[in-house]
Amino acid sequence: IDSIGSRVFYNCKKLKTIPLPKKVYIIKEEAFAGCKSLQKIKFPSAMAYIEAYAFRGCGLKQIVLPKNMLSIEEGAFSDCKKLKKIVIKSKGIETWRGYNENKAEEDQEEESLKDLVFYNIHKKAVFDVPNSCIKKYKEWLIETGCFKKTMKIK
């Protein structure tokens, strides 16, 4: 298995933890969305892509994004209100939110707040990132409205 399909575990209320196979490199759209009991997930080192809303509304408390992570699409961890610790090992995550080429740019600007990767997570969340990327990631979090004064980045 190298991927977790779209909506495979959608709204699975009793799912608390799940071991992902080592070769999984992509988690598809809404794969775990609404899994309010999901508190723990360990991403394999091969993990590179997390699609839109994959974990929206989950009960995750902490995540560690591996070095190979390349892309995280819009709303992937939005509404994970218990998500308090985010460890980002990758120095080069390129995509933070999706871009819909069929919409006018000004319409996308208006929608950006609800489409953010870490929108509406724990108000005291701590982001642990590579030292060489602190400035880059902090600017991104502030720019997109995800970073609150009560949060930390180190």
Side-chain angles (χ1 to χ4, degrees):
I1 296 176
D2 61 4
S3 69
I4 304 295
S6 296
R7 301 181 70 124
V8 171
F9 295 99
Y10 184 82
N11 269 341
C12 189
K13 305 287 186 209
K14 295 184 179 184
L15 184 66
K16 291 183 180 182
T17 184
I18 186 161
L20 294 176
K22 289 180 182 181
K23 292 185 179 185
V24 168
Y25 73 95
I26 186 168
I27 295 177
K28 303 270 183 146
E29 189 170 327
E30 295 186 324
F32 295 94
C35 295
K36 294 185 187 297
S37 296
L38 181 62
Q39 296 178 13
K40 187 176 182 182
I41 191 162
K42 183 178 180 192
F43 296 111
S45 60
M47 181 61 60
Y49 305 99
I50 297 177
E51 290 188 356
Y53 307 105
F55 293 94
R56 184 178 193 168
C58 285
L60 293 169
K61 295 179 181 181
Q62 172 181 319
I63 57 170
V64 178
L65 301 173
K67 287 181 182 180
N68 291 329
M69 185 64 65
L70 297 174
S71 175
I72 304 173
E73 292 183 4
E74 71 270 12
F77 295 98
S78 62
D79 296 319
C80 292
K81 295 176 183 181
K82 296 178 182 179
L83 185 56
K84 195 170 182 178
K85 185 172 184 182
I86 300 97
V87 178
I88 303 173
K89 293 184 176 183
S90 174
K91 293 182 180 181
I93 298 176
E94 297 297 325
T95 305
W96 288 101
R97 55 186 148 129
Y99 184 83
N100 185 339
E101 60 190 41
N102 296 321
K103 286 190 177 181
E105 195 168 324
E106 53 271 8
D107 291 339
Q108 296 196 51
E109 299 268 327
E110 290 173 19
E111 290 186 1
S112 66
L113 278 182
K114 67 180 180 186
D115 290 341
L116 297 172
V117 173
F118 294 110
Y119 182 71
N120 202 23
I121 63 170
H122 196 284
K123 65 181 180 180
K124 292 187 178 180
V126 175
F127 292 84
D128 188 351
V129 303
N131 286 334
S132 62
C133 299
I134 289 175
K135 184 179 178 189
K136 174 173 90 171
Y137 286 145
K138 187 169 186 174
E139 284 174 358
W140 169 78
L141 290 164
I142 290 170
E143 176 186 309
T144 58
C146 284
F147 195 76
K148 299 184 182 350
K149 290 180 183 178
T150 54
M151 295 179 175
K152 293 181 184 175
I153 188 162
K154 58 179 189 161

